[in-house]
């Protein structure tokens, strides 16, 4: 059965935009954009891996709907997510004649989504942004919620802006070219969503397989899974857009230790989702100790991470001490207080106020 195109309405007190999900949407970008934007001139920002695969089709589609696109390609990888690169993109947009009436299309993974969104947020003090995420991680996580930004020498995502896209276009077909390791890492965020908010999805994942979900006959299941994850994230964001009430913090489940592992590995050893997998295990161990998470549920969560090819053990020689140092630097330790997200049972999460640095140290030592 050919999955139909589905629309998710993403809305909160201060934003409203649709995510369109389906197959072959790369060739319909112009059509969909026309429904939401009147402007003509746009920059399509992509990276050196994704542009050769899909940028022509996106540009042809935009042009056939009356838009005038210019392609700007940046080198693939996290190292491109810098202020300098954002500045260079802006200069190129100025040189091409983009003005306040223009818009930006981000075609790529989370790196392109974050930097193109940041450029859209600052160019002429803000022009519309369209997200065309091409990694699973970007579809289920980074393209939703409006957080945009760049890294600095001292840390990730330290400079940024909240700038919601006008439209998100998720074409499941583009995931076919995504390397397996990149595909699998997206499941760390999906498993996180299941643990914090959705027991039913957790049960479904227990009988799913990453490889199966990419087969043509199963793309409807993949599409439904992406839709569900967009709904989970956008509902949480809608309740707490500006990260004030603590609701949005729930999305950080597994990230305190996950980010620290990424940093300790120099951002080379583990992909974000892989480090998150280990961070989820640490968060589960803290939850067993401090939030009453039953041992068998902790084991079931780890079982899912294994099922999707995610790491569950640190390499023997990995500098564990560096992880702990990085944990202490994390911005979630606001004014010395730890905001650590725990799960008392699958499907529920809360910010705990009784987690100590020693609890975290102990959980990291066990990894
Ligand atoms: N804004 C947010 O809320 C948010 C949330 C989570 C993560 N992020 C950010 O997202 C970034 C990570 O995103 P990512 O994992 O998508 O990384 P990425 O953008 O670097 O993409 C991963 C790799 O896959 C390649 N690629 C992308 N799509 C492809 C396709 N369809 N076929 C073949 N290759 C393809 C890319 O060129 C890159 O080499 C990080 O910078 C992180 O900080 C942001
Ligand atoms: Zn994450």
């Amino acid at each position: 059965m050919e999955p139909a195109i589905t629309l998710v309405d993403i809305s909160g007190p201060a934003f409203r935009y649709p995510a369109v999900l389906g197959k072959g949407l790369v060739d319909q970008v112009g059509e969909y954009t026309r429904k939401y934007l009147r402007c003509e001139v746009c920059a399509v920002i992509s990276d050196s891996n994704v542009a050769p695969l899909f940028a022509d089709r996106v540009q042809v589609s935009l042009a056939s709907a009356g838009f005038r696109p210019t392609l700007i390609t940046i080198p693939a990888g996290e190292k491109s997510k810098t202020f300098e690169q954002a500045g260079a993109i802006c200069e190129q947009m100025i040189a091409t004649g983009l003005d306040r009436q223009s818009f930006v299309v981000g075609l790529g993974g989370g790196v392109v989504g974050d930097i193109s969104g940041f450029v859209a947020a600052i160019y002429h003090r803000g022009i519309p942004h369209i997200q065309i995420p091409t990694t699973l991680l970007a579809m289920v996580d980074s393209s939703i919620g409006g957080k945009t930004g760049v890294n600095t020498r001292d840390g990730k995502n330290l400079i940024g802006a909240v700038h919601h896209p006008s439209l998100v276009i998720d074409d499941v077909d583009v995931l076919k070219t995504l390397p397996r390791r990149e595909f699998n890492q997206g499941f760390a965020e999906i498993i996180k969503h299941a643990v914090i908010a959705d027991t039913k999805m957790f049960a479904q994942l227990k009988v799913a397989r990453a490889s199966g979900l990419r087969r043509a006959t199963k793309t409807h299941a993949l599409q439904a899974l992406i839709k569900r994850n967009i709904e989970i994230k956008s509902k949480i964001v809608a309740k707490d857009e500006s990260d004030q009430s603590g609701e949005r913090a729930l999305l950080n489940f597994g990230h305190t230790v996950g980010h620290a592992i990424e940093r300790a590995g120099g951002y080379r050893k583990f992909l974000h989702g892989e480090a998150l997998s280990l961070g989820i295990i640490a968060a589960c161990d803290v939850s067993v100790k401090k939030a009453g998470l039953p041992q068998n549920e902790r084991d079931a969560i780890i079982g899912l991470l294994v099922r999707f090819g995610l790491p569950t053990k640190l390499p023997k020689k990995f500098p564990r001490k560096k992880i702990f140092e990085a944990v202490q630097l994390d911005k979630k330790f606001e004014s010395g207080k730890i905001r650590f997200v725990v799960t008392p049972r699958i499907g529920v999460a809360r910010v705990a106020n009784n987690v100590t640095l020693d609890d975290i140290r102990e959980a990291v030592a066990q990894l």
Side-chain angles (χ1 to χ4, degrees):
M1 193 185 66
E2 195 67 6
I5 286 171
T6 46
L7 225 93
V8 187
D9 179 44
I10 300 170
S11 58
F15 58 93
R16 178 166 208 166
Y17 53 94
V20 189
L21 280 92
K23 287 164 67 65
L25 291 178
V26 159
D27 299 310
Q28 297 170 48
V29 170
E31 234 170 90
Y32 279 101
T33 304
R34 192 43 90 198
K35 289 188 188 169
Y36 301 96
L37 292 182
R38 297 277 119 236
C39 355
E40 254 184 36
V41 184
C42 64
V44 176
I45 301 174
S46 192
D47 76 24
S48 50
N49 290 335
V50 179
L53 293 169
F54 311 114
D56 277 355
R57 287 165 61 195
V58 168
Q59 290 193 95
V60 166
S61 173
L62 283 166
S64 68
F67 296 106
R68 284 187 284 137
T70 301
L71 177 66
I72 299 177
T73 305
I74 61 172
E78 190 74 33
K79 61 184 181 312
S80 280
K81 219 178 92 176
T82 62
F83 233 152
E84 292 71 29
Q85 188 62 257
I89 294 171
C90 288
E91 298 288 352
Q92 234 176 302
M93 285 166 58
I94 292 165
T96 323
L98 270 83
D99 59 18
R100 264 178 51 211
Q101 307 304 323
S102 315
F103 64 99
V104 169
V105 178
L107 171 69
V111 165
V112 165
D114 279 10
I115 194 168
S116 63
F118 182 61
V119 164
I122 59 174
Y123 197 75
H124 282 271
R125 297 186 192 83
I127 59 173
H129 182 220
I130 292 186
Q131 291 261 23
I132 310 180
T134 62
T135 64
L136 183 59
L137 184 134
M139 288 185 187
V140 299
D141 190 356
S142 60
S143 62
I144 309 297
K147 282 193 179 172
T148 73
V150 293
N151 307 325
T152 69
R153 206 166 36 88
D154 293 317
K156 274 187 68 171
N157 304 324
L158 289 181
I159 310 286
V162 173
H163 188 65
H164 292 280
S166 303
L167 169 67
V168 182
I169 299 176
D170 291 326
D171 182 345
V172 287
D173 280 344
V174 303
L175 298 176
K176 289 187 182 134
T177 52
L178 193 64
R180 189 166 64 176
R181 195 174 158 202
E182 296 286 352
F183 186 69
N184 286 354
Q185 70 148 334
F187 281 94
E189 302 287 359
I190 292 175
I191 293 167
K192 175 197 80 181
H193 284 155
V195 172
I196 66 172
D198 195 337
T199 41
K200 195 170 150 212
M201 184 165 79
F202 192 90
Q204 284 166 347
L205 289 168
K206 273 164 85 173
V207 292
R209 273 192 198 289
S211 55
L213 284 166
R214 272 211 284 191
R215 259 183 246 128
T217 49
K218 289 280 176 68
T219 40
H220 59 283
L222 183 57
Q223 196 175 309
L225 186 65
I226 294 167
K227 177 169 183 270
R228 182 68 196 123
N229 279 275
I230 293 174
E231 287 165 350
I232 293 171
K233 176 157 184 189
S234 58
K235 267 200 195 117
I236 293 177
V237 172
K239 282 193 212 156
D240 180 24
E241 194 197 351
S242 49
D243 238 332
Q244 295 296 315
S245 73
E247 189 77 22
R248 193 167 182 157
L250 302 181
L251 293 166
N252 286 330
F253 180 74
H255 280 71
T256 302
V257 173
H259 279 151
I261 291 174
E262 264 185 295
R263 197 182 165 102
Y267 297 99
R268 282 183 305 274
K269 188 85 195 144
F270 292 107
L271 298 177
H272 175 72
E274 293 170 343
L276 173 59
S277 173
L278 293 157
I280 288 175
I281 297 173
C284 284
D285 286 338
V286 171
S287 299
V288 168
K289 192 173 164 198
K290 287 292 174 75
L293 176 71
Q295 189 70 31
N296 63 332
E297 293 198 15
R298 173 227 181 244
D299 295 346
I301 295 167
I302 295 171
L304 260 199
L305 296 168
V306 172
R307 188 171 185 87
F308 288 94
L310 291 159
T312 53
K313 272 269 157 222
L314 275 173
K316 264 210 172 69
K317 290 207 179 109
F318 195 87
R320 285 176 170 71
K321 207 169 144 246
K322 270 199 187 162
I323 300 176
F324 194 67
E325 283 162 15
V327 163
Q328 288 169 293
L329 286 173
D330 195 280
K331 58 179 190 282
K332 281 180 267 326
F333 286 83
E334 273 164 17
S335 38
K337 265 176 62 192
I338 309 174
R339 285 169 82 200
F340 195 90
V341 185
V342 291
T343 175
R345 61 178 190 281
I346 292 168
V348 180
R350 61 176 165 79
V351 178
N353 53 16
N354 62 341
V355 174
T356 64
L357 275 170
D358 275 343
D359 294 330
I360 300 173
R361 197 196 313 262
E362 210 175 279
V364 168
Q366 281 169 30
L367 286 173

